[in-house]
Amino acid sequence: MAFDKFELRFNGIPTYYRDQPMSGLMCTTSWSGSENHFFGQLTSTTLTLVEFVSHFDTAMDIQRYTHRTNQHKTRYTTPELLTDYVLEKEAREIYTRTIFYDIQEEICASITDCMSMSLMTIDGTHKFCIKEIGPEVSSLGLFEVLFTPSDVTLSCSCKRFERYGLLYRNSFYALRICGVSEFPKRYVSRRWTRDAVTREKRIVFDGRNKFSDGSLRDETVKDIIGSVEYCIDKLTSNIEELAKCRDRIQDINSKVDTDLPNQRSMSDLEVISSALGVSKPSKVKIRNPLQSKNKGDQSNSRIIPSK
């Protein structure tokens, strides 16, 4: 009996946090454990400082590549719609790819796994009593959904939007029954949308491109990279204009090769100095270290009295 009560903790604890936002909650040990595992695959305690900086840049490149890959899939690929519901089509244009699949699953479940047991209208507010059906649905009782068409406000007893920032299938069922044809903007959490990260923050700048002569050149490099990425994002859907942009960039590359035909490559010392942001000193003074006592040396031991 005690073991059964212990297993019920997974159903009892979330009850006290139904109204709390839990979408980004993670304990501090999970954060550190995740980061340690990720960086531990590319670093070790035997690396020198320069090797550690290089491996750290490689690890950050992997994260940036994963982010850019997901961003590209969200922008330039179109997932298949499973229903004719207009809210599913709008959700495809609002949310990122992963979040859209979660919304799509809830929309499909609102059609196949939800059944209205009763409907009441009190002062312009529709009160739905919805029951989930299907072989994989556990017996969770009935859910109460309140919907006001005048200001398009929703309230579900499951409290899923309050916790995760996403509407549950019961809410989509009420919206579909009431004939709502536009996705309620107030129930779109910005953190799940395509524009959650602004364009300025999406600029990827590799730390190895930094120079040791100040931040002005760094800002220039950032502006160039951001401008090129902006042009590519805008012209991806237009192949002809994208080809013209490519030709212009190739002309600039040819001009740079013509103006700087014999540019000297950086030596290993210059690469290390650029990575660390320091330069080689002209004169180095090294002092001899102070002599330390060796462990077990009897010459400086305590004098034992004659007594």
Side-chain angles (χ1 to χ4, degrees), residues 48-262:
T48 63
L49 179 59
V50 177
E51 291 175 338
F52 172 77
V53 173
S54 177
H55 287 212
F56 179 80
D57 287 338
T58 302
M60 296 305 298
D61 288 340
I62 295 175
Q63 290 187 345
R64 293 187 182 108
Y65 174 77
T66 303
H67 171 73
R68 292 170 66 85
T69 300
N70 295 335
Q71 191 75 14
H72 178 81
K73 290 181 179 179
T74 299
R75 287 188 170 192
Y76 306 119
T77 60
T78 303
E80 182 182 359
L81 298 177
L82 301 181
T83 66
D84 295 334
Y85 194 25
V86 65
L87 294 190
E88 182 184 3
K89 184 177 180 180
E90 289 191 11
R92 184 176 62 178
E93 304 298 329
I94 296 174
Y95 293 102
T96 61
R97 180 56 47 83
T98 302
I99 299 300
F100 167 72
Y101 286 143
D102 295 338
I103 293 293
Q104 187 181 53
E105 181 180 356
E106 297 300 327
I107 291 178
C108 294
S110 68
I111 299 175
T112 59
D113 298 339
C114 292
M115 180 176 61
S116 178
M117 304 300 294
S118 63
L119 173 61
M120 299 175 57
T121 302
I122 303 176
D123 296 334
T125 300
H126 303 307
K127 181 180 179 180
F128 292 87
C129 187
I130 300 176
K131 181 180 180 180
E132 295 185 13
I133 58 177
E136 298 181 358
V137 177
S138 60
S139 178
L140 299 177
L142 300 177
F143 293 93
E144 184 179 278
V145 179
L146 301 177
F147 175 67
T148 305
S150 58
D151 54 359
V152 195
T153 56
L154 276 168
S155 176
C156 183
S157 60
C158 67
K159 300 294 183 180
R160 189 172 186 267
F161 178 79
E162 287 77 5
R163 281 184 293 172
Y164 303 109
L166 296 174
L167 292 177
Y168 193 51
R169 58 192 63 178
N170 303 317
S171 300
F172 285 113
Y173 178 87
L175 293 175
R176 183 171 58 87
I177 294 299
C178 294
V180 177
S181 59
E182 184 178 358
F183 207 101
K185 302 301 181 183
R186 66 173 61 192
Y187 298 107
V188 177
S189 299
R190 189 175 183 275
R191 65 176 301 164
W192 307 130
T193 61
R194 297 185 172 199
D195 299 328
V197 180
T198 59
R199 181 169 300 277
E200 289 75 11
K201 294 182 180 180
R202 285 201 301 265
I203 295 177
V204 177
F205 180 66
D206 192 351
R208 290 171 293 183
N209 292 332
K210 292 183 177 180
F211 297 90
S212 59
D213 58 349
S215 61
L216 179 59
R217 187 178 300 182
D218 296 346
E219 294 297 331
T220 303
V221 173
K222 289 182 181 180
D223 293 339
I224 294 174
I225 295 176
S227 299
V228 173
E229 289 185 351
Y230 176 79
C231 294
I232 293 175
D233 292 342
K234 294 290 289 185
L235 300 177
T236 300
S237 58
N238 193 330
I239 304 301
E240 296 181 358
E241 294 297 330
L242 186 63
K244 293 179 181 179
C245 182
R246 178 201 58 192
D247 296 338
R248 295 191 189 100
I249 294 176
Q250 291 179 351
D251 293 339
I252 295 175
N253 293 338
S254 301
K255 187 177 184 302
V256 171
D257 293 336
T258 303
D259 296 340
L260 302 173
N262 297 321

Side-chain angles (χ1 to χ4, degrees), residues 278-302:
V278 297
S279 59
K280 180 182 178 181
S282 58
K283 187 177 182 180
V284 180
K285 294 182 179 181
I286 300 178
R287 297 180 179 180
N288 294 327
L290 299 176
Q291 185 177 2
S292 61
K293 297 179 181 180
N294 296 328
K295 186 178 181 181
D297 188 3
Q298 298 297 327
S299 60
N300 296 324
S301 61
R302 182 175 62 89

